[in-house]
Amino acid sequence: MNRFKVSKFRNTEARPSRREAWINAIRAGITPSCGNHIKSSCSLIAFNSDRPGVLGIVPLEGQGEDKKPVTYLGCHSDLVTDLDFSPFDDFLLATSSADRTVKFWRLPGPGQALPSVPGLVLGPEELPVDILQFHPTVDGILVSAVGRAVKVWDATNQQPLTELAAHRDLVQSAIWSRDGALIGTACKDKQLRIFDPRAKPEASQSTQAHENSRDTRLAWTASQQHLVSTGFNQMREREVKLWDTRTLSSALASLTLDTSPGSLMPLLDPDSGLLVLAGKGESQLYCYETALQQPALNPVTQCILESVLRGATLVPRRALAVMACEVLRVLQLSDTAIVPISYHVPRKAVDFHEDLYPDTAGCTPASDTHTWWAGSNQQVQKISLNPAHRPHPRFTSRLVSPSEPPPDIAQPAEMPGIDVEPSEGFSSPPSSLTSPSTPSSLGPSLSSTSGIGTSPSQRSLQSLLGPSSKFRHAQGIVLHRDSHITNLKGLNLTTPGESDGFCANRLRVAVPLLSSGGQVAVLELRKPGRLPDTALPTLQNGAAVMDLAWDPFDPHRLAVAGEDARIRLWRVPQGGLEDVLTVPEAVLTGHREKIYSLRFHPLAADVLASSSYDLTIRIWDLHTRTEHLRLQGHQDQIFGLAWSPDGRQLATVCKDGRVRVYEPRSGPEPQKEGPGPEGARGARIIWVCDGHCLLVSGFDSQSERQLLLYVADALAGGPSAVLGLDVAPSILLPSYDPDTGLVLLTGKGDTRVFLYELLPEAPFFLECNSFTSPDPHKGFVLLPKTECNVQEVEFARCLRLRQTSLEPVAFRLPRVRKEFFQDDVFPDTAISWEPVLSAEAWLAGSNGQPQLLSLQPPGMTPVSQAPREAPTQRALSSVQYLEEKSDQQKKEELLNAMVAKLGNREDPLPQDSFEGVDEDEWVRLACPPVAHGLSCCCCHLVPLHTSRLFELEDTSLALALSIP
């Protein structure tokens, strides 16, 4: 080949589409998976939404008035990790999930409802299914990756054909060659492997792909011998390599890009050889041409994006606008839109250019499963992209047979007058978040959870969209600056992950400082404002502070856990801390290692639980200042512990991946035990749903933050529901309000606070509006319920710790009739500031229940007893109003309106009413004699009672008049 040959793609242009062609009003999800988060067939687009287990579905074509709304398909009970359309059937979609299953969906045509159940299910597997891809030449065969295992499935018979071995770590990519004979895999052990699945389960070839174990992706070219890999080198630079399977020991070509952290998704078109590199979290696309003859990766063009990229995919070649010389089309998934980006080769003639569009693979499978497995390598028949040779026959897979929808089911997204938002519900019944052990359970719970009566029309709408929370419109508001405490200096921002960072009660806040000696500042909430520039009086602990907690029954007693394995009890004076205190009220010793967490008993006075690096939990009687109980059974670091609302049980989550429930007075060993989060970066645990459930916030194996909801009495069966949130380094700190069932979740260094209503049954999690701040916070705690402003429908008040200030945040619910007490929002609350039992009584086996207090202010009537408002007649719209008028009436009304606007012409003018002077009061003032060759130009009339100075512009003469 002539090395000076010019590429036909050298002038290729990347053209992001106009905003009118964008698919807007979506909410894309950010899930840490090996997939691209979006896929396209020639007819449909599917993408990950912000709801776990839910995909958005939208037609590929249709713009302007023909643009179709986005509908949502509830697929799985957990995160959707990957998805793929059949290369032959545009409406057959396969999805994989963290619920350990693969499901096949027959998507409907226009005007039909989305399916509520899958057509076929594979699994469940032992681990989440991370990757899947259809076979390129045979219908009904696909490859999937589960942890370290790669399986080739015969989907028709719902059984694996073979399992590919030899992977020593997590598989990051598994992809078919274009002829369907080989499988290439990339693994976290840095190895690139080539398999012939019909010959043997072991790899036929392997080599080190990239020096870094971070996300590696693969893409085959049109040739069976060449493939492309993307990854990171030892210096954490992103790189692209071109490989030849015949000489796999070294790459044919290598290209280093930059040090961006976003993993590269290789989008390779085998017919043109164009490679688009899309980085997650970036705003730029790179386009290269894979020149196999040289070999090289030649740069073609770059494209700057308007928004951050969350996922990307190529539109099939059969759907391109060939008459416009469109050689590629990339669909960019952003947070709120899908943006088409077209790559065009400029040509003068408007014609079909055969050099740009060679024949491409058609949509009819080459063979069946049995023939392929027996060794056939028959290829898919190619078709021409020339519009003159179309249309081509369509293929319908027998894997999931088409079925007609029931006649009484209409597609909700096309119902007039219904504006469906992803945050509110879905156009198809969403699958409830159920246990991964029962992944096929898709029946949604349609019972109302809002606590407000609904009309039949609302109930029918709710049956379509799924249940929603009455707190979904909650608003987080930072209160006025007058209530802030500012000029905070020297905060300790490196407290352990097991600690909230600071603690507060209704009177004061305790904040650790960075100064040596484990100093803790105590700030009075009743005295907001700017703190003095001088040093604050502090509590001197003598060791680094690990955790701290206020006694719920004594607002003046503070417990501080130190790195020296001691617990110090401090008593703050009634008026606040005015001097430095160096001697605590008491010191508790017993732990052999530093302490992580302190938790006071919710009902009994003077009972405190502490967890330590010595892998024990000790329960103290603060009245006698002695240790009474010691809990054992943990194999690693204890991440968190929590008392049950009735104070009988204590739950823990541990680094060994287990959740345990103790009955401390029954014995030192756990009574119940179950699997916890997979990640070992930290976790928290709280009791929810009146003590019937446990909520654990932690990380999965891919460092995504997630929530796990357990039934306390069925802990061994695993979580009832798993909800993935986002990828962030900090541990989610949960704050639970038992009155509303809401949990507030945020992490140190976050700018967002998530709100969810928790239910003990499906759908378990109901999302509400989150609170977002412009700058990150260092801590976030929930104040007692009595601090809420009930008149403003404020159901929660929190304190937000910033770098230099402390500010209160109120969470309120918009209500129309605020003059009434919203008793559906404010049930009787527990009196948590008065003990029910003494430490001696609780240790002896006694139990109790807290007293309840009504939050209804005097003089306010409950909204449930408020008189009904008289229905107001709704004003007709202008269109309806005009439809009820005849043409003659319309003309008369229009003329009358115009006349009324102009007014009556016989009315006097406004200037006629002005008052002036009498005629005899005017004096004629003549111009001065012509002394300078000027002629008289005018005469001036001046009232007799005025005194004016006239300056003639044409002369320097000025005449001053002073008339009495």
Side-chain angles (χ1 to χ4, degrees), residues 125 142-146 149-153 160-164 183:
E125 299 286 337
L142 78 158
V143 61
S144 68
V146 180
V150 176
K151 292 184 178 180
V152 177
W153 288 88
L161 295 174
T162 184
E163 180 173 343
L164 309 181
I183 295 177

Side-chain angles (χ1 to χ4, degrees), residues 718-742:
S720 300
V722 179
L723 176 66
L725 293 182
D726 58 7
V727 178
S730 58
I731 305 170
L732 283 170
L733 310 178
S735 300
Y736 182 68
D737 179 18
D739 296 340
T740 59
L742 289 175

Side-chain angles (χ1 to χ4, degrees), residues 787-818:
E787 300 303 302
C788 297
N789 186 352
V790 176
Q791 287 86 348
E792 293 296 329
V793 200
E794 179 183 326
F795 58 87
R797 179 169 294 193
C798 303
L799 284 179
R800 176 174 176 258
L801 180 64
R802 299 173 60 197
Q803 183 82 30
T804 59
S805 65
L806 189 71
E807 57 188 30
V809 179
F811 289 88
R812 298 171 180 173
L813 196 62
R815 287 290 174 94
V816 176
R817 309 177 74 183
K818 287 186 179 181

Side-chain angles (χ1 to χ4, degrees), residues 207-247:
T207 188
Q208 179 174 319
H210 300 274
E211 296 176 347
N212 198 306
S213 62
R214 292 188 61 187
D215 198 1
T216 300
R217 305 290 185 93
L218 301 177
W220 285 90
T221 66
S223 169
Q224 181 186 5
Q225 290 80 28
H226 298 90
L227 73 161
V228 171
S229 69
T230 61
F232 295 80
N233 62 16
Q234 196 170 10
M235 302 301 294
R236 298 184 180 180
E237 296 174 317
R238 298 190 300 181
E239 58 182 7
V240 187
K241 293 185 177 181
L242 179 63
W243 302 90
D244 189 336
T245 57
R246 295 165 295 187
T247 57

Side-chain angles (χ1 to χ4, degrees), residues 419-483:
D419 184 14
V420 180
E421 290 289 336
S423 60
E424 299 293 335
F426 308 101
S427 60
S428 64
S431 59
S432 58
L433 296 177
T434 56
S435 169
S437 59
T438 59
S440 59
S441 176
L442 289 171
S445 173
L446 301 180
S447 61
S448 172
T449 59
S450 64
I452 303 175
T454 55
S455 65
S457 60
Q458 289 173 326
R459 286 194 295 269
S460 62
L461 179 62
Q462 188 181 61
S463 66
L464 293 172
L465 303 182
S468 60
S469 172
K470 64 182 174 185
F471 299 97
R472 61 188 179 276
H473 299 303
Q475 299 173 352
I477 303 169
V478 178
L479 298 185
H480 193 270
R481 188 176 176 83
D482 293 345
S483 60

Side-chain angles (χ1 to χ4, degrees), residues 214 232 236 238 258-264 280 282:
R214 292 188 61 187
F232 295 80
R236 298 184 180 180
R238 298 190 300 181
D258 49 31
T259 57
S260 177
S263 58
L264 286 172
K280 291 184 179 180
E282 296 185 357

Side-chain angles (χ1 to χ4, degrees), residues 568-587:
R568 293 170 175 84
L569 302 177
W570 298 90
R571 181 157 298 277
V572 179
Q574 290 280 348
L577 193 62
E578 298 180 355
D579 300 314
V580 176
L581 299 183
T582 57
V583 180
E585 183 181 57
V587 179

